[in-house]
Amino acid sequence: MSVVISPSILNCDFAHLGDELAKIANADYAHVDVMDNHFVPNLALGLPVAEAAVAASPIPVDAHLMIEDPDRWAPAYAEIGCASVTFHAEAAAAPIRLARELHAQGTRVGLALRPASAIEPYIDILPEFDMILIMTVEPGFGGQSFLESMMPKVARTRAAIENAGLETWVQVDGGISRATITQAAEAGANNFVAGSAVYRADDAYTEVEELRRLAREASHSH
């Protein structure tokens, strides 16, 4: 399964969004974190910024909606051109219906789980999703430390996907850096969201390449 690097733009300079996105042109996706100050204790980005990112980005945009009522709001992110839209299992009233609505709009669909949420209740509906996002921090703020305790959940998710014969991606988000990406890849993740690690690096482009190399090495060692 291919390694996918998705830098989060949460730590970038929004006054120069186009330039900031150009720095990660070698990544696979630009990860846009949307927070509504209800589902998570922070307010960040939203539809206008996501739309600006889609317009300015040299790579596809992956929207992660940390919001209440994604059933109502998520389709708008597909409409503005996000290539992938991820909503939280804990917030969606009708996740299957929403996944199908998003697919009908031509976008990839991800289901996100907070650290305390188990994958097991969702195993039977895995075929409805292109990606499962296992949060490796409590969602809401950038720059938090990686929760190593999530690695068994990543491994169980990967095993369930393989047992079902699916090609579903497993994304990890939170505290991903050179120090943690190998562990996440060995556990079965193939899509890595790195925010601070990329945007606080001296050279974002080089950091993306290094993260990809480390993840590929770890994936091939299995």
Side-chain angles (χ1 to χ4, degrees):
M1 186 159 288
S2 61
V3 164
V4 178
I5 305 293
S6 309
S8 165
I9 65 167
L10 194 57
N11 295 58
C12 85
D13 173 5
F14 287 102
H16 303 98
L17 186 58
D19 295 339
E20 293 286 83
L21 285 161
K23 288 180 186 174
I24 58 164
N26 58 324
D28 301 285
Y29 284 85
H31 187 86
V32 174
D33 291 298
V34 179
M35 308 182 201
D36 64 358
N37 207 24
H38 293 282
F39 182 71
V40 288
N42 195 3
L43 188 63
L45 315 192
L47 208 54
V49 176
E51 193 163 14
V54 168
S57 181
I59 52 177
V61 169
D62 165 29
H64 174 199
L65 308 182
M66 291 171 264
I67 61 171
E68 286 181 357
D69 203 7
D71 302 76
R72 177 179 173 193
W73 298 108
Y77 287 85
E79 278 163 28
I80 62 164
C82 293
S84 176
V85 177
T86 299
F87 59 85
H88 270 264
E90 304 88 356
I96 296 173
R97 186 180 69 200
L98 179 54
R100 290 182 178 181
E101 191 179 340
L102 291 166
H103 275 140
Q105 290 179 281
T107 183
R108 289 179 62 89
V109 182
L111 182 72
L113 296 172
R114 289 179 129 156
S117 300
I119 183 61
E120 283 68 22
Y122 304 99
I123 281 174
D124 292 339
I125 62 168
L126 283 175
E128 301 287 342
F129 300 96
D130 303 292
M131 181 168 80
I132 303 296
L133 165 51
I134 305 294
M135 291 299 297
T136 41
V137 294
E138 283 291 351
F141 292 91
Q144 297 185 71
S145 16
F146 178 77
L147 294 173
E148 202 173 314
S149 55
M150 292 300 106
M151 294 305 95
K153 183 159 87 174
V154 170
R156 289 197 304 277
T157 303
R158 174 58 66 203
I161 288 165
E162 287 180 356
N163 290 342
L166 301 170
E167 290 290 307
T168 314
W169 292 354
V170 177
Q171 185 177 66
V172 282
D173 179 1
I176 299 299
S177 66
R178 294 187 192 198
T180 57
I181 196 164
T182 296
Q183 205 178 350
E186 284 172 349
N190 75 297
N191 185 323
F192 306 89
V193 177
S196 318
V198 170
Y199 274 106
R200 290 186 186 153
D202 293 334
D203 180 10
Y205 186 98
T206 304
E207 198 63 26
V208 166
E209 290 303 311
E210 183 59 16
L211 291 171
R212 185 182 281 121
R213 184 187 69 75
L214 289 168
R216 276 190 182 142
E217 278 179 9
S219 306
H220 289 157
S221 65
H222 280 248

